[in-house]
């Protein structure tokens, strides 16, 4: 019977059982057993997804771009992709600002908790601040400078260097298109075959997904069992972030799909659900990419050439959930410290959060370093990070769901505009 269940149902079951096991483990005192014998299976699943992420991005981009023999079409698709990604990110940041100004969660934060969190997370803040300072000290063109790798194989060994891998893959693909077809036929055939092999590896990994999700959720419940006071103290802040992110998932993206991709909301939500569940448990857009591509092609009807180009690029530059969260977090910290932000400062947050989200690595909690840049842009105390680090992990999980949902939405819209969105995938 279980074999006949769709993937999303198996993942849901794994998630539910994981939460149940975690609660029982806390109640029965089985935390050590869960950490030693169950959590590693979740780590293995996460590593398997990260293992295939770089090869998948590189090969799928080459296959997708090299299949577009018309350079004009390639530039048109690239232009549409970048513009739509930027527009959705700006909208997500604006949603975050609207929510935090309406709800004002910082006004109810207990002052006696501030010092406690500063002491608890002081060391972590200093480490993150050093990373952000390194970025701040760079040239204004650092983003473009860092995009070009000096060693491709070194970049390929680091999941945080996705933009460098994408740059080389695009450069390689364009050269492949420009070189006469008969001399590059062997190279294209090689990447076609390699792409099929990698997709089969993804299939094999996803068979392990329910077990991996079970282990990750069980470990998460056990890890947070002693932090109930943090959740209660930061409840309004978490609620604000969740409302903002839910508005994007269940309101903004389905609306875009109805308007520009002519796709009904139930079909869209059902099609992307397995990727959302994997994103929620892994907290990594890059690790979820194999599943996102599979669902976009097989369930949403996006053509392989469009998915192979738009989705890998989205992992790096489309972080709607991150930008929404950064706007809320920055204003929340200002409210806690009694700092009133002007309209100009809030517009600065929109711009900085949009740019910072583009550079956020698609890895768990990669947006924290970028949040320091946002705080610095309007002169807010970086120490305020201590107030939100305790609950960042569960919110990071939901942010990742928003990120991959946005990627899939843009891929569908671009595919529709190019006449490459199948009505019967």
């Amino acid at each position: 019977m279980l074999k006949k269940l769709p993937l999303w149902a198996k993942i849901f079951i794994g998630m539910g059982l994981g939460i149940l096991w975690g609660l029982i483990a806390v109640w029965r005192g089985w935390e050590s057993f869960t950490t030693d014998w169950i959590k590693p299976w979740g780590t293995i699943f996460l590593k398997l997804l990260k293992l295939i992420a770089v090869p998948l991005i590189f090969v799928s981009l080459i296959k997708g771009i090299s299949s577009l023999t018309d350079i004009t079409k390639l530039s048109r698709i690239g232009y549409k992709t970048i513009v739509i990604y930027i527009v959705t990110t700006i909208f997500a940041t604006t949603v975050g600002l609207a929510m935090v100004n309406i709800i004002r969660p910082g006004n109810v934060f207990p002052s006696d908790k501030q010092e406690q969190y500063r002491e608890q997370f002081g060391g972590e803040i200093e480490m993150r601040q050093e990373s952000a300072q390194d970025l701040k000290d760079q040239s204004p063109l650092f983003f473009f400078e860092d995009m070009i790798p000096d060693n491709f194989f070194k970049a390929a060994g680091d999941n945080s260097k996705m933009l460098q891998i994408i740059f080389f893959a695009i450069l390689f693909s364009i050269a492949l298109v420009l070189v006469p077809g008969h001399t590059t036929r062997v190279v294209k055939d090689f990447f076609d075959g390699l792409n099929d092999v990698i997709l089969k590896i993804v299939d094999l990994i996803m068979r392990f997904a329910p077990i991996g999700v079970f282990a990750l959720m069980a470990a998460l419940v056990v890890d947070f069992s002693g932090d109930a006071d943090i959740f209660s103290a930061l409840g309004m802040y978490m609620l604000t972030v969740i409302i903002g992110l839910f508005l994007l998932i269940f309101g903004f993206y389905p609306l875009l799909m109805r308007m520009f991709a002519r796709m009904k909301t139930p079909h869209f939500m059902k099609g992307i659900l397995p990727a959302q569940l994997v994103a929620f448990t892994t907290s990594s857009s890059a690790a979820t990419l194999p599943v996102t591509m599979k669902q976009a092609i097989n369930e949403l009807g996006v053509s392989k050439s469009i998915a192979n180009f738009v989705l890998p690029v989205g992992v790096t530059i489309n972080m709607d959930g991150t930008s929404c969260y950064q706007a809320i977090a920055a204003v929340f910290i200002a409210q806690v410290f009694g700092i009133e932000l002007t309209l100009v400062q809030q517009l600065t947050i929109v711009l900085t959060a949009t740019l910072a989200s583009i550079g956020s690595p698609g890895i768990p909690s990669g947006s924290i370093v970028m949040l320091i840049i946002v705080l610095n842009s309007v002169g807010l105390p970086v120490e305020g990070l201590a107030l939100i680090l305790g609950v960042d992990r569960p919110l990071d999980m939901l942010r990742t769901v928003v990120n991959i949902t946005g990627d899939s939405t843009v891929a569908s819209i671009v595919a529709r505009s190019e006449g490459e969105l199948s009505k019967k995938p």
Side-chain angles (χ1 to χ4, degrees):
M1 181 180 175
L2 285 176
K3 289 183 179 180
K4 295 181 180 179
L5 288 175
L7 178 64
W8 63 266
K10 293 178 182 177
I11 294 175
F12 249 135
I13 292 172
M15 186 180 294
L17 291 177
I19 294 172
L20 180 62
W21 175 272
L23 293 172
I24 293 173
V26 172
W27 174 50
R28 300 288 295 175
W30 296 344
E31 291 95 335
S32 296
F33 177 84
T34 302
T35 302
D36 294 340
W37 294 95
I38 293 180
K39 185 177 181 179
W41 295 107
T43 305
I44 290 170
F45 175 60
L46 193 52
K47 282 187 172 183
L48 285 171
L49 288 172
K50 289 181 177 179
L51 168 71
I52 203 64
V54 170
L56 179 66
I57 286 176
F58 184 67
V59 174
S60 61
L61 267 176
I62 290 176
K63 179 175 169 55
I65 296 175
S66 62
S67 66
L68 302 172
T69 53
D70 182 0
I71 289 294
T72 305
K73 183 178 180 182
L74 173 59
S75 62
R76 186 174 69 244
I77 292 173
Y79 171 76
K80 289 178 183 177
T81 300
I82 301 298
V83 169
I84 299 173
Y85 275 152
I86 291 175
V87 169
T88 58
T89 302
I90 292 174
F91 181 83
T93 310
T94 306
V95 167
L97 277 180
M99 288 298 99
V100 75
N101 279 292
I102 292 171
I103 300 175
R104 301 188 69 82
N107 293 352
V108 298
F109 192 88
S111 56
D112 60 312
K113 288 284 184 183
Q114 291 185 24
E115 187 59 35
Q116 175 188 334
Y117 291 158
R118 286 196 194 99
E119 293 176 4
Q120 184 176 352
F121 297 103
E124 189 171 349
I125 290 172
E126 288 180 12
M127 182 179 66
R128 307 275 189 177
Q129 195 167 7
E130 286 175 8
S131 301
Q133 187 62 43
D134 290 341
L135 291 176
K136 188 179 179 182
D137 292 341
Q138 300 290 342
S139 158
L141 297 177
F142 169 73
F143 176 76
F144 299 101
E145 181 185 344
D146 189 56
M147 185 167 51
I148 301 173
D150 51 13
N151 186 321
F152 169 73
F153 294 101
K154 185 177 178 181
D158 186 350
N159 273 20
S160 66
K161 302 294 184 183
M162 288 294 183
L163 201 57
Q164 296 185 358
I165 297 164
I166 288 172
F167 173 82
F168 182 76
I170 292 175
L171 185 65
F172 187 95
S173 306
I174 291 174
L176 199 58
V177 172
L178 294 175
V179 173
H182 64 279
T183 60
T184 57
R185 186 69 261 167
V186 175
V187 180
K188 289 181 180 179
D189 288 343
F190 169 75
F191 278 103
D192 284 347
L194 189 58
N195 186 66
D196 291 340
V197 171
I198 288 175
L199 291 178
K200 179 53 67 176
I201 293 175
V202 171
D203 256 345
L204 296 174
I205 292 173
M206 288 313 298
R207 294 183 185 183
F208 182 62
I211 297 173
V213 167
F214 164 80
L216 286 169
M217 291 305 296
L220 183 71
V221 172
V222 168
D223 288 344
F224 276 85
S225 61
D227 292 335
D229 58 332
I230 293 180
F231 282 106
S232 60
L234 296 175
M236 287 299 291
Y237 163 72
M238 292 183 68
L239 180 64
T240 305
V241 176
I242 290 170
I243 290 174
L245 298 180
F246 271 30
L247 282 175
L248 296 175
I249 296 173
F250 298 107
F252 181 53
Y253 297 133
L255 180 63
L256 289 181
M257 292 296 287
R258 289 281 296 184
M259 291 175 61
F260 300 106
R262 299 290 188 268
M263 187 178 296
K264 294 181 180 179
T265 300
H267 176 69
F268 170 61
M269 298 306 294
K270 183 180 178 181
I272 199 62
L273 183 58
Q276 290 176 328
L277 294 175
V278 173
F280 185 76
T281 51
T282 62
S283 297
S284 172
S285 303
T288 311
L289 180 62
V291 194
T292 309
M293 292 186 68
K294 181 179 178 182
Q295 295 304 119
I297 294 170
N298 295 344
E299 301 297 332
L300 302 184
V302 179
S303 69
K304 288 185 178 180
S305 60
I306 298 293
N308 287 343
F309 176 77
V310 177
L311 293 176
V313 173
V315 166
T316 304
I317 71 169
N318 186 48
M319 297 286 183
D320 295 350
T322 299
S323 61
C324 179
Y325 145 80
Q326 286 175 341
I328 294 173
V331 178
F332 169 74
I333 290 171
Q335 291 171 354
V336 169
F337 284 94
I339 301 171
E340 284 295 328
L341 296 176
T342 65
L343 178 62
V344 173
Q345 286 177 310
Q346 298 217 21
L347 290 176
T348 302
I349 289 176
V350 172
L351 178 62
T352 312
T354 300
L355 295 176
S357 69
I358 291 174
S360 296
I363 56 178
S365 296
S367 57
I368 289 293
V369 172
M370 297 302 169
L371 178 56
I372 295 176
I373 297 174
V374 176
L375 294 175
N376 286 333
S377 71
V378 287
L380 292 175
V382 176
E383 293 77 14
L385 274 178
L387 310 176
I388 61 174
L389 279 177
V391 293
D392 184 66
R393 171 65 172 161
L395 294 178
D396 190 27
M397 297 163 74
L398 192 55
R399 292 198 299 269
T400 309
V401 174
V402 173
N403 292 340
I404 66 100
T405 307
D407 294 346
S408 304
T409 300
V410 175
S412 301
I413 293 172
V414 173
R416 170 79 183 185
S417 70
E418 293 293 321
E420 296 188 35
L421 184 67
S422 172
K423 292 184 178 179
K424 293 183 179 179

